[in-house]
Amino acid sequence: MGLDDRDALQVLRDNFTAPDSAQSFVGRLFTRWFGANPSTRDLFPADLAATRIAFAQAMSWVYGEFIAQRAQEPVSFLAQLGRDHRKYGVMQQHYDSMCRVLYAALRDELSDDWTDAVDEAARESLNLITGVMGGAADAEEGPAWWDGTVVEHLRVSRDLAVVRLQLDSPLPYHPGQYVKVEVPQCPRSWRYLSPSIPADETGAIEFHVRAVSAGLVSTAIVNETRPGDRWRLSSPHGGLHVDRDAGDVLMVAGSTGLAPLRAIIMDLTRWGVNPRVHLFFGGRYPCELYDLPTLWQIAVHNPWLSVTPVSEYSADPQWAADYPEVAPPRGLHVRQTGRLAEVVTRYGGWGDRQILICGGPKMTRATEAALIAKGAPAHRIQHDPLSE
């Protein structure tokens, strides 16, 4: 039965969803792959922890879709993944060797549970996964990556920076999408960032970055990036968007989660008539609402935009004096105090709006849950894929 055998597919999926699977089974898988193909180790960063987790999560999701007998989304996801993996230097031979090693690792891991049905499901699913990825990569004619030079690095708060680059050639993307970025301080360690401006035909691009705890790349970007640094960017991902014909919009941005929503708002200014957009922009302290002046400038000239600043604490810490003043200009809503999810839902359920949420995973989950509890339909809520 192969891909039609849900029970056999579930047996395979369990290897990627079991507790500590990213450290145990996937860890042994990568060790086995590198042993059989030593050159593949150079494709990955020194610390494989995040790679193992991402691999386990991706495989678990793909097999979950196979079990549900849904093909369109996983095939689209795998094709995009294959196109994106070109930036690592992945070639067809790597997909072939991974397919062989993964099949052997699953067979050994399952041992007595490896039946003829599981064998057939494994062969068909792994051939599909690696075949779609490799085929999409081979068929793609666009660049594998885009290089650019940092032209400005602005430290806007203690752990926040705005970075502007000039790309060697323009990167086509839709406002709201995100790209993977490699910086010289952390070779082969890629991090997802969202452009904060619409695609520019001259190759200008801007990112807002917050240094996160134990975040090697984000910390390097905030603390060590300098003009002249050369960055590498991947092809864009994501489908966050506003449908101008689908009614009014609620946007909720936590810290640098503002970036993709800002790009969408800037893109909307191309039209004279838009749906109403209400943006809640939040940070821990008032001083971390770093982009209020820009938002005010947009709102002054575009009456369809309303902005409510939100901070968890009412007063700034002492270190705020070292960074630019970001007091809300006159014309914006009065700043509210509290957690974003609580403040947003004070105004109602927003069930009649298109809802876009961007920020850290905890904030995004809490805001989504609070809105649904207030009556907002889940299918009206958009956010990027979440990971801790």
Side-chain angles (χ1 to χ4, degrees):
M1 294 177 65
L3 288 171
D4 294 324
D5 192 332
R6 299 187 181 190
D7 292 336
L9 291 168
Q10 184 64 57
V11 172
L12 296 170
R13 183 175 188 259
D14 287 345
N15 284 273
F16 302 101
T17 56
D20 297 325
S21 63
Q23 302 300 325
S24 53
F25 171 66
V26 175
R28 291 191 293 275
L29 165 67
F30 275 87
T31 299
R32 187 169 186 161
W33 190 36
F34 297 153
N37 304 269
S39 64
T40 58
R41 183 63 183 87
D42 294 335
L43 302 175
F44 296 88
D47 185 356
L48 286 171
T51 302
R52 290 193 294 261
I53 292 171
F55 184 89
Q57 290 176 338
M59 293 295 287
S60 175
W61 180 81
V62 168
Y63 271 107
E65 294 295 289
F66 289 165
I67 291 166
Q69 298 295 289
R70 292 190 291 261
Q72 183 174 353
E73 286 195 25
V75 167
S76 297
F77 167 77
L78 292 166
Q80 178 60 53
L81 206 59
R83 290 189 290 268
D84 189 54
H85 272 45
R86 295 179 304 142
K87 69 179 183 291
Y88 300 121
V90 177
M91 296 181 287
Q92 187 59 52
Q93 66 213 48
H94 298 120
Y95 291 114
D96 295 339
S97 65
M98 171 53 89
C99 187
R100 292 192 298 269
V101 170
L102 185 48
Y103 170 82
L106 285 167
R107 183 184 58 199
D108 291 348
E109 191 76 14
L110 289 168
S111 186
D112 293 341
D113 293 326
W114 189 265
T115 63
D116 289 344
V118 172
D119 183 273
E120 184 179 359
R123 290 181 185 276
E124 290 191 12
S125 61
L126 295 178
N127 284 336
L128 176 61
I129 290 169
T130 57
V132 170
M133 291 181 68
D138 287 342
E140 180 60 41
E141 297 179 353
W145 59 74
W146 284 258
D147 290 329
T149 302
V150 175
V151 295
E152 194 170 14
H153 177 274
L154 304 175
R155 191 69 171 268
V156 294
S157 189
R158 184 171 60 173
D159 56 1
L160 297 170
V162 172
V163 184
R164 297 179 178 131
L165 295 94
Q166 180 63 48
L167 301 180
D168 297 348
S169 59
L171 168 63
Y173 60 88
H174 299 296
Q177 288 193 298
Y178 52 90
V179 299
K180 269 192 170 182
V181 172
E182 181 189 38
V183 300
Q185 292 83 1
C186 306
R188 300 191 302 280
S189 294
W190 296 73
R191 186 184 189 276
Y192 284 117
L193 296 178
S194 296
S196 61
I197 60 174
D200 183 272
E201 62 182 12
T202 70
I205 195 167
E206 177 183 292
F207 298 104
H208 300 175
V209 186
R210 179 173 186 167
V212 298
S213 177
L216 182 66
V217 178
S218 64
T219 300
I221 291 173
V222 172
N223 295 331
E224 302 173 25
T225 293
R226 298 290 182 269
D229 284 357
R230 294 285 288 173
W231 284 21
R232 178 160 288 179
L233 280 59
S234 77
S235 55
H237 300 262
L240 201 67
H241 70 285
V242 164
D243 182 345
R244 295 181 58 249
D245 297 320
D248 293 338
V249 183
L250 167 67
M251 294 182 173
V252 184
S255 187
T256 54
L258 174 67
L261 302 183
R262 180 187 194 261
I264 293 173
I265 289 170
M266 286 183 167
D267 188 62
L268 288 173
T269 63
R270 294 187 297 141
W271 287 276
V273 177
N274 280 307
R276 290 181 301 160
V277 176
H278 195 123
L279 168 68
F280 287 84
F281 174 36
R284 291 169 301 181
Y285 302 102
C287 65
E288 292 183 326
L289 302 174
Y290 61 94
D291 210 36
L292 287 180
T294 301
L295 297 173
W296 174 75
Q297 288 285 348
I298 298 173
V300 163
H301 298 286
N302 296 275
W304 46 263
L305 176 64
S306 300
V307 180
T308 298
V310 181
S311 63
E312 293 184 25
Y313 301 98
S314 59
D316 284 329
Q318 290 185 343
W319 52 258
D322 297 332
Y323 299 98
E325 171 65 41
V326 292
R330 294 185 64 182
L332 290 183
H333 286 268
V334 175
R335 179 174 52 81
Q336 303 292 307
T337 302
R339 295 186 181 275
L340 267 173
E342 299 167 355
V343 173
V344 171
T345 52
R346 285 178 201 163
Y347 290 76
W350 304 93
D352 60 338
R353 302 290 181 108
Q354 302 177 68
I355 301 174
L356 285 68
I357 309 173
C358 292
K362 290 183 179 178
M363 183 283 291
T364 300
R365 291 190 180 100
T367 304
E368 181 179 27
L371 286 166
I372 291 173
K374 278 279 191 175
H379 71 273
R380 299 272 285 176
I381 300 176
Q382 301 177 54
H383 58 72
D384 288 330
L386 300 177
S387 60
E388 294 292 350

